[in-house]
Amino acid sequence: MYAEERQQSIARLVVDRGRVGVTDLAEQFAVTTETVRRDLSALERLGLLRRVHGGAVPAAVLTATESHLDERDVTRAREKDRIAAAAARFLPDDGGTLAVDAGSTTARLVGLIPPGRRLTAFTHGVPIAARLAPMPGIDLHLLPGRVRATTQAAVGSLTTQVLERVRVDVAFLGTNGVTEEHGFSTPDSEEAAVKRALVGAARRVVVLADATKIGRDTTVSFADLADVDVLVTDAEPSGAMMRALTAHAVEVVLA
């Protein structure tokens, strides 16, 4: 296979899979990892992908600004459905407490709460609160704060002050990026502050993230790898990333 043909195949794989690893590509195309890295660099210069630690992701998913919630809700929808279903096993038992971060994947999770299960739930996400409110077994607490139009989530000092006085069995969070060096991150500093407070309020922290988020850095870190107990995703992280997660005792659940 000529270099141009291999690079075209790699570009298609990135679009189809959402993320590819250097080692996996080297094995698939029977070339060295150095050759794959050169291919990825060439494709990045053409604007066809973005290199991340250990591999590459589509260029479109790495933007400096946040997409709106309705846009995120239809992006990789099937993968998010699978992730939410896999994360549902971490829901507290009857009588338990949980906190739910704003986001398109966490919103899918609350729809999977078994009918009649009695839970106390805290959320700063307005659409998530709207889903929880009609559930007969849910004692819902909507966190106060200024609601951001982009994410439809309450943020600010009021939000974090309430969370400082809360303790829950499990917190379910979304993230915009996960790397060993930067941990779990998001573009907005106020959103990051609330996520950090959610992490601090929980006995167990479960992050729901599709594979495009892994290996990607965004502006503000809200948790180190060691702060998270479980990562639920739709594809196995690259070898280096998987080793880092394992070293920090993060349980990786594949949907």
Side-chain angles (χ1 to χ4, degrees), residues 31-209:
V31 295
T32 66
T33 54
E34 289 76 15
T35 297
V36 171
R37 290 189 180 95
R38 287 196 294 271
D39 288 341
L40 296 180
S41 294
L43 292 167
E44 186 174 44
R45 287 194 296 271
L46 294 171
L48 298 177
L49 54 77
R50 174 71 180 272
R51 292 192 63 184
V52 296
H53 182 71
V57 296
V61 305
L62 294 171
T63 59
T65 58
E66 295 174 280
S67 57
H68 284 260
L69 184 61
D70 55 353
E71 296 171 0
R72 294 204 304 272
D73 192 49
V74 297
T75 303
R76 295 180 62 81
R78 284 180 294 182
E79 290 83 355
K80 291 175 180 179
D81 287 339
R82 296 206 315 269
I83 291 168
R89 77 189 217 202
F90 298 103
L91 287 166
D93 293 331
D94 202 52
T97 56
L98 74 157
V100 186
D101 186 20
S104 56
T105 312
T106 50
R108 287 168 162 81
L109 172 67
V110 300
L112 300 175
I113 295 175
R117 183 171 296 186
R118 295 179 301 106
L119 297 172
T120 299
F122 296 82
T123 186
H124 66 127
V126 175
I128 291 174
R131 293 191 181 195
L132 288 168
M135 297 182 183
I138 302 298
D139 179 14
L140 174 62
H141 297 258
L142 178 58
L143 298 169
R146 177 182 63 84
V147 176
R148 297 185 69 224
T150 305
T151 59
Q152 298 177 37
V155 297
S157 59
L158 283 175
T159 319
T160 56
Q161 285 170 13
V162 170
L163 285 170
E164 288 171 0
R165 301 192 297 272
V166 168
R167 190 70 167 163
V168 297
D169 295 321
V170 58
F172 295 95
L173 282 84
T175 188
N176 297 80
V178 187
T179 63
E180 180 177 10
E181 298 82 5
H182 200 46
F184 295 84
S185 59
T186 195
D188 183 79
S189 60
E190 287 188 303
E191 293 273 359
V194 176
K195 289 176 184 287
R196 195 175 300 117
L198 287 167
V199 170
R203 296 181 180 90
R204 170 182 269 184
V205 177
V206 180
V207 172
L208 289 65

